[in-house]
Amino acid sequence: MPTPNQATTNKTHETPMLSLRAAVREGSVDVEQRTVELTWTTGSKGRRWSWDIGSYMEELEVSAKALRLDRLNNGAPFLNAHSSYELSDVIGVVEKAWLEGEEGRALVRFSQREDVEGIFRDVQDGILRNISVGYAVHRYEVVEEEDDKLPTYRAVDWEPLELSLVPIGFDDGAKIRSAQTAADYQGQRFNTIFEVREAQQPLDKPAAVANTTEENPMTEEEKRAAEELIRREAADAERKRSLTIRQMAKKVGLGEDVAEDLVARGVSIADASIALIDKAAEKQGKDQPETRNSQATVVGGLDQSVITAKREAMQNALLNRCNPTIALIEGAREFRGMRLLDLARECVETVGGNARGMLPQEVARAALGCDRTAMRAAGMQTTSDFPILLGGGVTRTLRDAYAQAPQTWRPLGQMTTVPDFRATTRAALGDISALEEVKEHGEYKYGKLEEEGAPIRVTKFGKIIAITWEAVINDDLGALTRIPRAYGLAAAETESNLVWNLILSNPNFTDGSAIFVAGHGNLAASGGAINTSTLGAARAAMRKQKSKAGAFLNVEPRYLVVGPDKELEAFQFTSSQYVPAKNSDINDGRNTSLVVIVDGRITGNQWYLFTEAGLIDTFEYAYLEGEPGVFTETREGFEVDGMEIKARLVFGAAWIDYRGAYKNPGA
């Protein structure tokens, strides 16, 4: 809030996308998952420059209130040196972003493409470690200084847009300065609110007139760096302009001479797109003079970046309408409250169609792509994004429901992946109990790995969700929310039923005996209630477990697993506030370290102890490689007038070892 001696005015200026230096966090590379953790901001203060206000000091507020993380958390691209002209420029994706203290952090996952493999290896080896963060500022708080100091502009509403791996950690200030005017700058632009707090001058002293044209000159080193950056970017931009125009010409069926003419004349990509559309339409008119409603089929001529941004905004507005807790992103407000039919009409017009004079059912069928006649009647240049929009909403709802479903079994087992649907047996330690002495000139002896665990095999589960054109006309949001949510919960329920059946059915292990049996040392001789005595006996039994080689494993229990009938008893004996009935009794302090897991599928008085997953094998649950969790695929409907979304889950589980779990039948 401004102080009494300050006046506040809001000004809106056009600003470029800015960038920050960032870095790969040391030791954070996960080779198996192909992920790396980044620190993308610490809120540092630095010098900036703008066409309207000249030089200033920028300070970034790092807080949940000031930062918009939706774009990063919605799968923002991880780029090669801020380049975004081609699909190959995307080398990964941002998995998640978060704040930790006064630092912004992110986890990115690298692509498995061959052209990215060398980049990922250089990151592993510490050769590539510089990160640049592109961001936009939506609002500054400015307090203009009375002396000659540069004003400090505090960004209180700002948004990271993308992360890039760069050869040199260098911000784009020099590139921006090199543009003599705002019109010369070719990058992204944003409207930024400047909340200016000007210190009031005493009445007897005239206010000083600020020299807005004055700016600190660039150093020779900055000039050279700027010139080199401009040269590289200009060459890169020209190469990509030429390539894009040639590809666009090829897609619309025009010869190389047309493309070469546009390239030689220095025509921009946007102007070339218009010229190619006109030439394609002219060519098609000559080829088909008798066809009245012929339209040029143009895919590459549309500005895909604009279409993608609009699609994201429309999808976000739709999700917000289905679930008001989902925050609106930039640009989504103009689509807020639109009915499904309104969004369908917007999608038709985005790809060059005209829905005026069309009946609601015709608009719906054209937007969904299930009626070619309706598409031709609308004059659409290509298929609309409406199926993608609806499919994204359904997928988001389904996956959110799947992720939020209670799955009590996950801490007990270890996740893995399998390459195919064939049974895979996990290797377990065999006769390796301890290292053996090797005498001078002696030979090392081999230990062995034995296939001891049960074979694990994944199974495919799935259902199809149909979104009909009737649902679009009726504005049936239940088709996008209630039904997909039910499917997401059903996918989680499928996993839970499979795993709990594996635990509770007590199947035979590979040695022919049940998992929980006296011979395995993991079954109580008689059932008993949860108390100091029975928990002590269970701990002792787990401590005494030996490997196949006869080595003590010293298994320590971590989880106390019970059904609803034993829930109160379990929490009593794991609470530090539990008071025994008699002074002679004690509640072992070790019991308070147990984590209670309750599941309704566990009936009666039986209870279990499990060790920490990964320390000692218990069971593994597996997904097909590349498909962890529930996945969706979309296609134009055939059995229905509309579109179909297939929800697929590939999942399996199997016992790997019996030594990490213990069962008491209860009493």
Side-chain angles (χ1 to χ4, degrees):
M1 295 294 293
T3 58
N5 70 327
Q6 289 181 321
T8 301
T9 56
N10 288 343
K11 302 177 182 178
T12 301
H13 294 296
E14 202 174 61
T15 59
M17 185 179 78
L18 303 171
S19 63
L20 290 170
R21 298 182 185 184
V24 174
R25 291 183 61 81
E26 212 172 309
S28 69
V29 179
D30 187 330
V31 178
E32 183 176 347
Q33 300 295 326
R34 300 181 67 81
T35 60
V36 64
E37 188 175 315
L38 316 174
T39 297
W40 49 268
T41 185
T42 57
S44 59
K45 190 173 182 179
R47 185 168 175 161
R48 291 293 187 188
W49 187 88
S50 173
W51 310 286
D52 295 329
I53 58 177
S55 297
Y56 62 95
M57 298 299 293
E58 180 191 64
E59 185 177 2
L60 301 174
E61 180 179 328
V62 182
S63 69
K65 181 179 71 173
L67 266 165
R68 304 185 188 185
L69 295 179
D70 291 346
R71 193 181 294 259
L72 290 185
N73 282 314
N74 286 335
F78 186 45
L79 303 176
N80 183 356
H82 294 294
S83 183
S84 58
Y85 291 92
E86 300 174 2
L87 293 177
S88 58
D89 295 329
V90 180
I91 60 175
V93 65
V94 180
E95 292 282 335
K96 62 176 179 178
W98 70 96
L99 296 181
E100 192 168 308
E102 295 185 353
E103 291 187 354
R105 297 187 180 180
L107 186 73
V108 301
R109 174 167 57 86
F110 281 80
S111 169
Q112 298 187 25
R113 298 196 317 268
E114 291 184 5
D115 60 304
V116 181
E117 192 59 39
I119 299 175
F120 184 53
R121 282 200 300 269
D122 284 344
V123 173
Q124 294 176 52
D125 297 338
I127 297 172
L128 295 176
R129 62 183 68 183
N130 295 309
I131 305 295
S132 183
V133 184
Y135 66 98
V137 179
H138 301 290
R139 186 166 66 92
Y140 283 117
E141 286 184 354
V142 188
V143 177
E144 296 187 350
E145 304 287 348
E146 296 181 5
D147 53 17
D148 295 332
K149 294 181 180 179
L150 291 176
T152 297
Y153 288 23
R154 182 172 178 81
V156 295
D157 184 5
W158 61 289
E159 181 179 18
L161 305 175
E162 46 90 350
L163 306 180
S164 288
L165 187 64
V166 293
I168 301 173
F170 184 75
D171 67 41
D172 59 356
K175 179 180 67 176
I176 298 166
R177 287 190 187 192
S178 67
Q180 298 299 315
T181 65
D184 297 332
Y185 179 71
Q186 301 300 311
Q188 288 183 270
R189 302 165 185 262
F190 304 89
N191 290 324
T192 304
I193 298 173
F194 289 71
E195 187 178 293
V196 183
R197 301 174 185 175
E198 298 179 351
Q200 292 185 346
Q201 302 290 335
L203 295 177
D204 59 346
K205 184 178 179 180
V209 179
N211 182 5
T212 58
T213 62
E214 184 180 346
E215 65 173 270
N216 294 328
M218 298 174 63
T219 66
E220 289 300 319
E221 185 179 354
E222 287 178 327
K223 289 180 181 179
R224 287 194 298 270
E227 291 171 358
E228 176 62 21
L229 183 62
I230 295 165
R231 187 191 63 77
R232 291 201 310 267
E233 290 190 345
D236 187 55
E238 174 60 23
R239 179 183 64 81
K240 290 182 176 180
R241 183 187 71 89
S242 305
L243 180 62
T244 302
I245 292 175
R246 293 187 178 97
Q247 289 175 338
M248 289 163 54
K250 185 178 181 181
K251 286 180 179 179
V252 299
L254 297 175
E256 293 183 0
D257 55 333
V258 177
E260 292 301 330
D261 177 63
L262 294 171
V263 171
R265 290 192 287 117
V267 177
S268 68
I269 293 175
D271 291 340
S273 172
I274 297 171
L276 290 171
I277 291 174
D278 292 341
K279 287 187 175 293
E282 182 183 346
K283 179 177 181 294
Q284 188 164 346
K286 292 178 180 179
D287 295 339
Q288 299 176 327
E290 302 299 324
T291 304
R292 292 184 60 188
N293 294 321
S294 62
Q295 297 287 337
T297 302
V298 180
V299 177
L302 299 172
D303 190 339
Q304 292 301 316
S305 63
V306 174
I307 292 177
T308 300
K310 188 173 183 179
R311 181 201 306 157
E312 291 177 354
M314 294 172 71
Q315 190 174 92
N316 177 254
L318 178 58
L319 289 169
N320 173 265
R321 188 174 169 225
C322 296
N323 182 4
T325 62
I326 297 175
L328 288 171
I329 65 173
E330 183 81 14
R333 292 193 177 275
E334 64 175 300
F335 307 109
R336 185 179 185 185
M338 278 192 174
R339 294 167 55 87
L340 292 178
L341 193 61
D342 298 327
L343 293 174
R345 193 182 305 273
E346 190 77 25
C347 288
V348 169
E349 293 176 351
T350 298
V351 295
N354 185 357
R356 294 186 66 180
M358 297 182 69
L359 296 173
Q361 58 264 36
E362 292 174 325
V363 175
R365 292 168 70 88
L368 287 167
C370 60
D371 190 331
R372 300 298 175 186
T373 302
M375 291 175 65
R376 287 194 296 269
M380 296 168 61
Q381 296 177 355
T382 185
T383 304
S384 84
D385 276 344
F386 193 55
I388 299 175
L389 183 102
L390 296 182
V394 169
T395 299
R396 167 75 179 270
T397 303
L398 189 150
R399 290 183 178 174
D400 284 352
Y402 168 79
Q404 295 166 8
Q407 293 187 303
T408 54
W409 52 269
R410 284 192 179 273
L412 308 178
Q414 194 164 8
M415 190 184 83
T416 186
T417 59
V418 295
D420 49 44
F421 290 89
R422 292 175 293 183
T424 303
T425 303
R426 297 305 188 196
L429 287 177
D431 64 349
I432 303 176
S433 60
L435 299 182
E436 299 182 19
E437 181 184 358
V438 180
K439 300 184 179 296
E440 188 178 0
H441 305 300
E443 295 182 352
Y444 290 87
K445 295 182 179 180
Y446 286 92
K448 66 179 180 179
L449 293 173
E450 295 183 359
E451 302 290 336
E452 187 180 44
I456 189 168
R457 184 196 304 268
V458 294
T459 304
K460 183 166 59 178
F461 308 88
K463 282 281 182 73
I464 292 177
I465 305 169
I467 300 179
T468 64
W469 65 286
E470 291 96 338
V472 176
I473 295 171
N474 296 335
D475 198 40
D476 183 8
L477 295 182
L480 304 179
T481 55
R482 181 173 51 83
I483 297 174
R485 178 171 177 78
Y487 277 21
L489 293 173
E493 182 78 1
T494 299
E495 293 180 347
S496 296
N497 288 339
L498 192 150
V499 172
W500 281 115
N501 182 67
L502 178 73
I503 297 173
L504 301 177
S505 66
N506 198 18
N508 285 344
F509 195 55
T510 53
D511 59 4
S513 299
I515 294 293
F516 299 103
V517 69
H520 286 163
N522 64 355
L523 179 66
S526 60
I530 301 173
N531 55 42
T532 301
S533 178
T534 55
L535 285 173
R539 286 181 178 275
M542 296 183 74
R543 291 283 190 188
K544 294 175 182 178
Q545 286 285 9
K546 295 182 180 180
S547 69
K548 287 191 71 176
F552 282 101
L553 298 174
N554 278 308
V555 181
E556 183 176 359
R558 174 60 174 160
Y559 301 100
L560 175 58
V561 184
V562 299
D565 295 333
K566 285 289 182 179
E567 181 174 0
L568 178 60
E569 195 174 288
F571 277 105
Q572 282 180 332
F573 274 90
T574 58
S575 171
S576 60
Q577 300 179 358
Y578 177 67
V579 180
K582 298 183 296 183
N583 290 332
S584 58
D585 296 334
I586 61 168
N587 186 29
D588 193 333
R590 293 173 300 173
N591 294 338
T592 62
S593 66
L594 294 174
V595 177
V596 177
I597 291 177
V598 186
D599 196 277
R601 297 171 183 81
I602 304 175
T603 58
N605 295 325
Q606 59 184 316
W607 53 273
Y608 301 81
L609 288 180
F610 277 77
T611 189
E612 192 79 54
L615 297 180
I616 301 293
D617 292 327
T618 51
F619 66 89
E620 282 189 352
Y621 57 97
Y623 298 97
L624 189 65
E625 198 171 69
E627 291 197 8
V630 64
F631 269 69
T632 58
E633 292 180 2
T634 304
R635 72 166 185 174
E636 180 183 315
F638 183 77
E639 288 81 6
V640 298
D641 290 328
M643 57 180 293
E644 297 170 333
I645 301 170
K646 178 171 63 181
R648 181 177 66 248
L649 174 69
V650 184
F651 182 77
W655 281 98
I656 306 302
D657 202 339
Y658 56 81
R659 298 172 179 88
Y662 178 93
K663 177 182 178 180
N664 188 304

